[in-house]
Amino acid sequence: MSPAGAQTLKEAIGKYCLIGAAVNQWQSDGQVPEADAVLEKHFNCAVAENCMKPETLAPAEGIFDFRVADKFVNYCRQHNLKVLGHCLVWHSQAPDWWFTNGYAAAPASKEVLKERIIKHIKTVVGHYKGQVHGWDVVNEAIMDDGSFRKSPYYNLLGEEFIEIAFRTAHEADPDAELYYNDYSMSGQAKREAVCRLVRNLKAKGLRIDGVGMQSHNGLDYPNLEEYEKSIDAFAACGVKVMITELDINVLPNPEGFGGADIAQNFELQQKYNPYVNGLPKDKARELDERWMALFNIYYKHRAQISRINLWGISDGGSWLNGWPIKGRTNYPLLFDRQYQPKPVVNEIIKLYK
Ligand code: G3I
């Protein structure tokens, strides 16, 4: 660290917790040198945006394809980044064959799905044993009203699929940290349901180290008081709290939009894409104020938060340019389309001095 003190996010925030970003395939294939530079300078951990998800690793029954994910893990090693695994069991980006018995029409049986989850976790976590700091074992299994998502996992196996996943992941790599990850985590019903889930797993003697609050935020959501209550509530369950997929959507959104469910898709209209040529000064100021409001919370709760992870590196690569409306120009991250730090990055660094 220079005599002038922390100059980077890693030097400043890294004193308290992991600071990372989601990396896409082009970046981990080494095709974006600007990304390499930002990651090495500002971050000490990374998560694969897509290439460690079940549909990529298990494209067909009995076949595992680690080529892209292995490149990602090697890329992290080359750039001194701890690896976070995302994700093992999720209703989205799961291979279709998991839920069928080979004949598209007939759903897989309870026993078959159970065996497939166990085989997937044993194989994937085993393959990266000792190389992955922690895994998002189960992702987005609870709805905003606190009920379980009626996924094929829950419909066939009930809540047991979560216990199977955490037990199997721990057996496959006893040193890896294990997490439950979800979005819209500042809602009271979801907060209480996730606390119940954590306590149930612990009561059954199963390892769970942390809860991930994805934090796909906006300029006026979530309510920050409720957001802080969730950080305290999850920490009170005796687990680490992580901000796992942080971004701020600055664009106006259609009625009925919410959460982070990728299935939402709306038609492109100019009124929903007003900043193609850059953010107006007042909107940029509003965005900076939102970043500082969030990081002031993270700094205040630094004893409870073990990781802050942005969902992408630069604005140009963000999923929020294509969701929930394809073809928009969004500004949701801390580095601009030229991979240059936005002025607010310095304010964040000063906060953590
Ligand atoms: O790989 C195919 C490519 O072959 C094809 O040509 C292209 C054309 O459609 O699609 C590519 O797949 C896309 C994939 O990203 C890789 O780029 C999928 O269509 C697209 O749906 C997928 O989007 C990802 C999304 O998860 C899927 O659910 C986003 O990049 C990723 O940021 C997003 O991340 C999720 C977290 O995992 C969980 N929490 C919410 C978060 C945002 O939805």
Side-chain angles (χ1 to χ4, degrees):
M1 187 176 316
S2 70
Q7 299 301 313
T8 70
L9 293 172
K10 179 163 68 178
E11 287 167 354
I13 301 176
K15 295 196 294 286
Y16 301 99
C17 67
L18 291 175
I19 173 73
V23 172
N24 65 37
Q25 186 179 337
W26 296 274
Q27 292 156 346
S28 57
D29 281 357
Q31 298 174 30
V32 192
E34 305 92 325
D36 305 354
V38 169
L39 284 166
E40 279 208 15
K41 185 172 179 184
H42 286 281
F43 298 109
N44 57 24
C45 72
V47 60
E49 185 174 7
N50 284 296
C51 71
M52 289 180 103
K53 292 172 179 174
E55 74 175 358
T56 307
L57 296 179
E61 181 138 28
I63 299 194
F64 285 91
D65 182 353
F66 290 107
R67 291 171 296 169
V68 180
D70 283 354
K71 273 191 181 173
F72 166 72
V73 172
N74 293 338
Y75 176 87
C76 289
R77 195 175 303 115
Q78 281 158 24
H79 297 286
N80 306 315
L81 303 163
K82 274 187 194 298
V83 178
L84 283 303
H86 175 80
C87 54
L88 297 172
V89 177
W90 186 27
H91 67 280
S92 184
Q93 289 186 287
D96 296 339
W97 66 265
W98 265 14
F99 307 118
T100 60
N101 73 353
Y103 308 102
S109 70
K110 176 175 177 168
E111 276 320 305
V112 166
L113 181 59
K114 191 173 171 179
E115 278 158 29
R116 286 172 175 169
I117 293 172
I118 291 171
K119 179 166 183 204
H120 183 78
I121 295 176
K122 272 191 177 158
T123 308
V124 171
V125 176
H127 180 83
Y128 292 114
K129 188 175 182 185
Q131 303 178 73
V132 168
H133 175 76
W135 284 97
D136 291 339
V137 178
V138 174
N139 193 41
E140 302 176 8
I142 293 176
M143 304 303 282
D144 292 1
D145 65 3
S147 66
F148 281 101
R149 180 186 296 275
K150 302 302 178 284
S151 67
Y153 308 111
Y154 184 78
N155 293 341
L156 273 173
L157 294 158
E159 208 178 327
E160 192 202 350
F161 85 91
I162 298 174
E163 296 156 28
I164 293 166
F166 277 86
R167 182 179 298 111
T168 309
H170 182 53
E171 286 164 2
D173 186 351
D175 298 327
E177 292 193 347
L178 306 177
Y179 316 131
Y180 175 76
N181 192 51
D182 213 324
Y183 60 76
S184 300
M185 290 281 247
S186 53
Q188 183 179 356
K190 186 170 250 187
R191 170 167 62 230
E192 290 166 359
V194 172
C195 287
R196 268 196 306 278
L197 181 152
V198 172
R199 284 195 291 266
N200 284 350
L201 289 173
K202 283 178 173 279
K204 293 201 164 88
L206 292 168
R207 176 174 179 167
I208 177 167
D209 298 272
V211 166
M213 301 171 66
Q214 291 182 10
S215 301
H216 291 291
N217 297 334
L219 292 171
D220 56 3
Y221 64 87
N223 171 296
L224 295 182
E225 259 177 64
E226 293 301 316
Y227 190 70
E228 273 198 82
K229 278 188 196 157
S230 290
I231 295 172
D232 286 330
F234 299 143
C237 293
V239 292
K240 299 172 177 180
V241 179
M242 299 162 296
I243 310 303
T244 55
E245 303 182 15
L246 178 60
D247 49 25
I248 301 178
N249 187 349
V250 303
L251 298 178
N253 288 303
E255 286 303 306
F257 155 86
D261 206 327
I262 198 78
Q264 295 179 76
N265 194 352
F266 299 87
E267 192 216 326
L268 178 60
Q269 296 173 48
Q270 203 284 330
K271 67 178 178 181
Y272 296 133
N273 193 25
Y275 313 125
V276 177
N277 302 315
L279 274 186
K281 279 208 172 29
D282 62 335
K283 200 47 77 173
R285 193 174 321 108
E286 194 184 342
L287 176 58
D288 288 354
E289 285 162 7
R290 190 68 172 173
W291 279 120
M292 292 316 292
L294 287 166
F295 275 93
N296 270 290
I297 288 174
Y298 303 149
Y299 183 70
K300 177 181 168 193
H301 292 267
R302 59 193 178 283
Q304 298 158 314
I305 292 175
S306 66
R307 175 161 57 104
I308 299 171
N309 192 85
L310 292 144
W311 202 242
I313 303 171
S314 82
D315 285 345
S318 170
W319 72 295
L320 288 170
N321 293 309
W323 184 89
I325 302 174
K326 287 193 171 24
R328 301 204 292 176
T329 305
N330 214 327
Y331 305 82
L333 296 165
L334 290 174
F335 294 81
D336 65 23
R337 286 175 164 75
Q338 287 70 45
Y339 286 86
Q340 297 306 307
K342 297 177 181 181
V344 72
V345 169
N346 265 339
E347 299 311 306
I348 294 168
I349 291 170
K350 276 191 250 165
L351 178 65
Y352 274 81
K353 274 214 169 119

